[in-house]
Each structure stands twice: as C-alpha cells, then as structure tokens.
Short mmCIF file of all heavy atoms in Angstrom, two decimals:
data_model
loop_
_atom_site.label_atom_id
_atom_site.label_comp_id
_atom_site.label_asym_id
_atom_site.label_seq_id
_atom_site.Cartn_x
_atom_site.Cartn_y
_atom_site.Cartn_z
N ALA O 1 63.58 80.28 -34.62
CA ALA O 1 63.51 78.86 -34.93
C ALA O 1 62.33 78.53 -35.83
O ALA O 1 62.39 77.58 -36.62
CB ALA O 1 63.41 78.04 -33.64
N ILE O 2 61.26 79.32 -35.73
CA ILE O 2 60.05 78.95 -36.47
C ILE O 2 59.63 79.94 -37.54
O ILE O 2 58.83 79.61 -38.40
CB ILE O 2 58.87 78.73 -35.50
CG1 ILE O 2 58.49 80.05 -34.81
CG2 ILE O 2 59.19 77.65 -34.48
CD1 ILE O 2 57.23 79.95 -33.98
N HIS O 3 60.18 81.16 -37.50
CA HIS O 3 59.80 82.18 -38.48
C HIS O 3 60.86 82.24 -39.58
O HIS O 3 62.02 82.60 -39.32
CB HIS O 3 59.64 83.54 -37.82
CG HIS O 3 58.42 83.65 -36.96
ND1 HIS O 3 57.20 84.06 -37.44
CD2 HIS O 3 58.23 83.36 -35.65
CE1 HIS O 3 56.31 84.04 -36.46
NE2 HIS O 3 56.91 83.62 -35.36
N ARG O 4 60.46 81.93 -40.78
CA ARG O 4 61.40 81.89 -41.89
C ARG O 4 61.89 83.29 -42.28
O ARG O 4 63.03 83.45 -42.69
CB ARG O 4 60.73 81.23 -43.09
CG ARG O 4 61.66 80.97 -44.27
CD ARG O 4 60.91 80.22 -45.37
NE ARG O 4 60.43 78.93 -44.90
CZ ARG O 4 59.62 78.15 -45.60
NH1 ARG O 4 59.18 78.53 -46.80
NH2 ARG O 4 59.22 76.98 -45.12
N HIS O 5 61.03 84.29 -42.13
CA HIS O 5 61.38 85.64 -42.56
C HIS O 5 61.31 86.62 -41.38
O HIS O 5 60.66 87.66 -41.46
CB HIS O 5 60.44 86.09 -43.69
CG HIS O 5 60.44 85.17 -44.87
ND1 HIS O 5 61.55 84.96 -45.66
CD2 HIS O 5 59.45 84.37 -45.38
CE1 HIS O 5 61.25 84.10 -46.61
NE2 HIS O 5 59.99 83.72 -46.47
N LEU O 6 61.97 86.30 -40.31
CA LEU O 6 61.98 87.16 -39.14
C LEU O 6 62.72 88.46 -39.45
O LEU O 6 63.78 88.44 -40.08
CB LEU O 6 62.66 86.44 -37.96
CG LEU O 6 62.48 87.06 -36.58
CD1 LEU O 6 61.02 87.03 -36.15
CD2 LEU O 6 63.33 86.29 -35.56
N ALA O 7 62.14 89.58 -39.01
CA ALA O 7 62.69 90.89 -39.38
C ALA O 7 63.94 91.28 -38.59
O ALA O 7 64.59 92.28 -38.91
CB ALA O 7 61.62 91.96 -39.21
N PHE O 8 64.28 90.51 -37.59
CA PHE O 8 65.47 90.82 -36.79
C PHE O 8 66.17 89.53 -36.39
O PHE O 8 65.58 88.45 -36.42
CB PHE O 8 65.08 91.62 -35.53
CG PHE O 8 64.26 90.82 -34.54
CD1 PHE O 8 64.86 90.16 -33.48
CD2 PHE O 8 62.88 90.73 -34.69
CE1 PHE O 8 64.10 89.41 -32.58
CE2 PHE O 8 62.11 89.98 -33.81
CZ PHE O 8 62.72 89.32 -32.74
N ASP O 9 67.43 89.66 -36.03
CA ASP O 9 68.22 88.53 -35.57
C ASP O 9 68.60 88.79 -34.12
O ASP O 9 69.42 89.67 -33.84
CB ASP O 9 69.49 88.38 -36.43
CG ASP O 9 70.31 87.15 -36.05
OD1 ASP O 9 70.13 86.63 -34.94
OD2 ASP O 9 71.14 86.74 -36.87
N PRO O 10 67.99 88.08 -33.17
CA PRO O 10 68.28 88.35 -31.76
C PRO O 10 69.74 88.14 -31.37
O PRO O 10 70.22 88.72 -30.40
CB PRO O 10 67.36 87.38 -31.01
CG PRO O 10 67.05 86.31 -31.99
CD PRO O 10 67.03 86.98 -33.33
N GLN O 11 70.45 87.33 -32.14
CA GLN O 11 71.86 87.09 -31.83
C GLN O 11 72.78 88.20 -32.33
O GLN O 11 73.91 88.30 -31.88
CB GLN O 11 72.28 85.74 -32.42
CG GLN O 11 71.58 84.54 -31.80
CD GLN O 11 71.86 83.26 -32.54
OE1 GLN O 11 71.22 82.96 -33.55
NE2 GLN O 11 72.80 82.48 -32.05
N LYS O 12 72.27 89.04 -33.25
CA LYS O 12 73.10 90.10 -33.81
C LYS O 12 72.56 91.50 -33.54
O LYS O 12 73.33 92.44 -33.40
CB LYS O 12 73.24 89.91 -35.33
CG LYS O 12 73.95 88.63 -35.74
CD LYS O 12 74.00 88.50 -37.27
CE LYS O 12 74.70 87.23 -37.70
NZ LYS O 12 74.73 87.09 -39.19
N ASP O 13 71.24 91.62 -33.47
CA ASP O 13 70.61 92.95 -33.44
C ASP O 13 70.21 93.41 -32.06
O ASP O 13 69.66 94.51 -31.91
CB ASP O 13 69.37 92.95 -34.34
CG ASP O 13 69.69 92.62 -35.79
OD1 ASP O 13 70.81 92.97 -36.23
OD2 ASP O 13 68.85 92.02 -36.48
N LEU O 14 70.47 92.60 -31.03
CA LEU O 14 70.12 92.97 -29.67
C LEU O 14 71.31 92.74 -28.75
O LEU O 14 72.17 91.90 -29.01
CB LEU O 14 68.93 92.14 -29.18
CG LEU O 14 67.60 92.38 -29.89
CD1 LEU O 14 66.61 91.28 -29.55
CD2 LEU O 14 67.03 93.74 -29.51
N THR O 15 71.36 93.52 -27.68
CA THR O 15 72.43 93.40 -26.69
C THR O 15 71.85 92.84 -25.40
O THR O 15 71.09 93.54 -24.71
CB THR O 15 73.08 94.76 -26.41
OG1 THR O 15 73.63 95.30 -27.62
CG2 THR O 15 74.19 94.63 -25.37
N PRO O 16 72.15 91.60 -25.04
CA PRO O 16 71.64 91.03 -23.80
C PRO O 16 72.20 91.74 -22.57
O PRO O 16 73.38 92.12 -22.55
CB PRO O 16 72.12 89.58 -23.85
CG PRO O 16 72.47 89.32 -25.28
CD PRO O 16 72.95 90.63 -25.81
N VAL O 17 71.38 91.92 -21.56
CA VAL O 17 71.82 92.55 -20.31
C VAL O 17 71.82 91.52 -19.18
O VAL O 17 72.84 91.27 -18.55
CB VAL O 17 70.91 93.74 -19.93
CG1 VAL O 17 71.38 94.37 -18.62
CG2 VAL O 17 70.90 94.78 -21.03
N SER O 18 70.67 90.91 -18.92
CA SER O 18 70.57 89.87 -17.90
C SER O 18 69.23 89.17 -18.02
O SER O 18 68.24 89.75 -18.46
CB SER O 18 70.68 90.47 -16.49
OG SER O 18 70.43 89.48 -15.49
N LEU O 19 69.21 87.91 -17.64
CA LEU O 19 67.92 87.28 -17.39
C LEU O 19 67.28 88.00 -16.21
O LEU O 19 67.98 88.60 -15.39
CB LEU O 19 68.09 85.80 -17.07
CG LEU O 19 68.36 84.85 -18.24
CD1 LEU O 19 68.58 83.44 -17.72
CD2 LEU O 19 67.22 84.87 -19.24
N ALA O 20 65.96 87.91 -16.11
CA ALA O 20 65.27 88.60 -15.02
C ALA O 20 64.32 87.70 -14.25
O ALA O 20 64.08 87.93 -13.07
CB ALA O 20 64.50 89.80 -15.59
N ALA O 21 63.79 86.69 -14.91
CA ALA O 21 62.82 85.83 -14.23
C ALA O 21 62.68 84.51 -14.96
O ALA O 21 62.98 84.40 -16.15
CB ALA O 21 61.46 86.51 -14.15
N ASN O 22 62.21 83.55 -14.21
CA ASN O 22 61.93 82.24 -14.74
C ASN O 22 60.50 81.87 -14.33
O ASN O 22 60.11 82.09 -13.18
CB ASN O 22 62.90 81.20 -14.17
CG ASN O 22 62.69 79.82 -14.76
OD1 ASN O 22 62.92 79.61 -15.93
ND2 ASN O 22 62.26 78.89 -13.92
N GLN O 23 59.73 81.37 -15.26
CA GLN O 23 58.37 80.94 -14.94
C GLN O 23 58.25 79.44 -15.18
O GLN O 23 58.21 78.99 -16.33
CB GLN O 23 57.33 81.68 -15.79
CG GLN O 23 55.90 81.30 -15.43
CD GLN O 23 54.85 81.96 -16.31
OE1 GLN O 23 55.12 82.28 -17.45
NE2 GLN O 23 53.67 82.17 -15.76
N PRO O 24 58.19 78.66 -14.12
CA PRO O 24 58.01 77.23 -14.31
C PRO O 24 56.67 76.93 -14.98
O PRO O 24 55.66 77.55 -14.67
CB PRO O 24 58.04 76.69 -12.88
CG PRO O 24 58.69 77.76 -12.06
CD PRO O 24 58.30 79.04 -12.71
N PHE O 25 56.69 76.00 -15.90
CA PHE O 25 55.46 75.52 -16.51
C PHE O 25 55.13 74.18 -15.87
O PHE O 25 55.99 73.50 -15.29
CB PHE O 25 55.64 75.36 -18.02
CG PHE O 25 55.14 76.55 -18.80
CD1 PHE O 25 55.45 77.84 -18.40
CD2 PHE O 25 54.39 76.38 -19.95
CE1 PHE O 25 54.99 78.94 -19.11
CE2 PHE O 25 53.93 77.47 -20.68
CZ PHE O 25 54.22 78.75 -20.26
N VAL O 26 53.88 73.79 -15.99
CA VAL O 26 53.45 72.50 -15.47
C VAL O 26 52.71 71.74 -16.56
O VAL O 26 52.17 72.33 -17.49
CB VAL O 26 52.53 72.63 -14.23
CG1 VAL O 26 53.24 73.33 -13.10
CG2 VAL O 26 51.23 73.36 -14.60
N VAL O 27 52.70 70.42 -16.41
CA VAL O 27 51.86 69.57 -17.27
C VAL O 27 50.56 69.36 -16.51
O VAL O 27 50.54 68.72 -15.46
CB VAL O 27 52.54 68.22 -17.54
CG1 VAL O 27 51.64 67.36 -18.44
CG2 VAL O 27 53.90 68.42 -18.19
N ALA O 28 49.49 69.94 -17.05
CA ALA O 28 48.18 69.84 -16.41
C ALA O 28 47.26 68.99 -17.28
O ALA O 28 47.39 68.97 -18.50
CB ALA O 28 47.58 71.22 -16.20
N ALA O 29 46.34 68.31 -16.63
CA ALA O 29 45.37 67.48 -17.35
C ALA O 29 43.98 67.73 -16.81
O ALA O 29 43.80 68.17 -15.66
CB ALA O 29 45.74 66.00 -17.22
N GLY O 30 42.99 67.47 -17.63
CA GLY O 30 41.61 67.64 -17.22
C GLY O 30 41.19 66.58 -16.22
O GLY O 30 41.79 65.50 -16.12
N ALA O 31 40.12 66.88 -15.50
CA ALA O 31 39.65 65.97 -14.45
C ALA O 31 39.26 64.61 -15.00
O ALA O 31 39.36 63.59 -14.30
CB ALA O 31 38.47 66.61 -13.72
N GLY O 32 38.82 64.57 -16.26
CA GLY O 32 38.35 63.31 -16.83
C GLY O 32 39.43 62.41 -17.40
O GLY O 32 39.13 61.30 -17.87
N VAL O 33 40.67 62.85 -17.38
CA VAL O 33 41.76 62.03 -17.93
C VAL O 33 42.05 60.87 -16.98
O VAL O 33 42.32 61.09 -15.80
CB VAL O 33 43.04 62.88 -18.13
CG1 VAL O 33 44.20 62.00 -18.58
CG2 VAL O 33 42.78 63.97 -19.16
N PRO O 34 41.99 59.63 -17.47
CA PRO O 34 42.20 58.46 -16.60
C PRO O 34 43.68 58.21 -16.30
O PRO O 34 44.26 57.18 -16.69
CB PRO O 34 41.58 57.32 -17.40
CG PRO O 34 41.75 57.73 -18.82
CD PRO O 34 41.60 59.23 -18.83
N ALA O 35 44.30 59.16 -15.65
CA ALA O 35 45.71 59.04 -15.25
C ALA O 35 45.89 59.80 -13.95
O ALA O 35 45.26 60.84 -13.73
CB ALA O 35 46.62 59.61 -16.33
N ALA O 36 46.74 59.28 -13.09
CA ALA O 36 46.97 59.90 -11.78
C ALA O 36 48.39 60.41 -11.62
O ALA O 36 48.75 60.93 -10.57
CB ALA O 36 46.65 58.90 -10.67
N SER O 37 49.20 60.28 -12.68
CA SER O 37 50.59 60.72 -12.59
C SER O 37 51.12 60.97 -14.00
O SER O 37 50.49 60.62 -15.00
CB SER O 37 51.46 59.65 -11.91
OG SER O 37 51.54 58.48 -12.73
N MET O 38 52.31 61.57 -14.07
CA MET O 38 52.93 61.82 -15.36
C MET O 38 53.23 60.51 -16.08
O MET O 38 53.00 60.40 -17.29
CB MET O 38 54.23 62.61 -15.14
CG MET O 38 54.87 63.13 -16.42
SD MET O 38 53.93 64.47 -17.14
CE MET O 38 54.18 64.16 -18.88
N GLN O 39 53.69 59.52 -15.33
CA GLN O 39 53.99 58.23 -15.94
C GLN O 39 52.74 57.60 -16.56
O GLN O 39 52.79 57.04 -17.67
CB GLN O 39 54.58 57.27 -14.90
CG GLN O 39 55.94 57.70 -14.36
CD GLN O 39 55.82 58.45 -13.04
OE1 GLN O 39 54.87 59.22 -12.85
NE2 GLN O 39 56.77 58.25 -12.15
N GLU O 40 51.63 57.71 -15.85
CA GLU O 40 50.39 57.13 -16.36
C GLU O 40 49.88 57.90 -17.58
O GLU O 40 49.32 57.30 -18.51
CB GLU O 40 49.33 57.10 -15.26
CG GLU O 40 49.63 56.10 -14.15
CD GLU O 40 48.51 56.02 -13.13
OE1 GLU O 40 47.43 56.60 -13.37
OE2 GLU O 40 48.71 55.35 -12.09
N LEU O 41 50.07 59.22 -17.59
CA LEU O 41 49.67 60.01 -18.75
C LEU O 41 50.49 59.61 -19.98
O LEU O 41 49.94 59.45 -21.07
CB LEU O 41 49.88 61.50 -18.46
CG LEU O 41 49.57 62.45 -19.64
CD1 LEU O 41 48.08 62.42 -19.96
CD2 LEU O 41 50.03 63.88 -19.31
N ILE O 42 51.79 59.43 -19.79
CA ILE O 42 52.66 59.02 -20.90
C ILE O 42 52.23 57.65 -21.43
O ILE O 42 52.12 57.44 -22.64
CB ILE O 42 54.13 58.99 -20.45
CG1 ILE O 42 54.62 60.41 -20.15
CG2 ILE O 42 55.01 58.34 -21.52
CD1 ILE O 42 56.00 60.47 -19.52
N SER O 43 51.95 56.71 -20.52
CA SER O 43 51.53 55.37 -20.93
C SER O 43 50.21 55.42 -21.68
O SER O 43 50.04 54.72 -22.70
CB SER O 43 51.40 54.47 -19.70
OG SER O 43 52.65 54.31 -19.05
#
C-alpha cells in the first residue's frame, strides 16, 4: 500500500497457510493529557 517499488507482490508471490496470532493495539496517552476517556481525547 505504501511502497511504490516493492520487490514482491504478496498476493502473487506468496502462498498463505494460516493466520497464527492477533495482537490487540491500544490507544495510550501520556499522564499529562487532559482527557479521561477516548471520547474526551477525540474532543
């Protein structure tokens, strides 16, 4: 999606076998941010 001259095409040059794991990400903020929730951070 972001590399204009990627040396391989994952949709053509690789054979998928299975997903193996999922790593949830979180939205974290520093202690000094004046927000107590995701809604407040967005606002």
Side-chain angles (χ1 to χ4, degrees):
I2 65 172
H3 288 270
R4 187 176 300 172
H5 303 295
L6 194 64
F8 67 95
D9 184 341
Q11 295 171 277
K12 297 178 180 179
D13 300 328
L14 294 166
T15 300
V17 180
S18 174
L19 282 177
N22 183 66
Q23 183 183 28
F25 264 45
V26 299
V27 180
V33 175
S37 67
M38 189 71 215
Q39 294 97 323
E40 291 185 9
L41 177 67
I42 292 172
S43 297

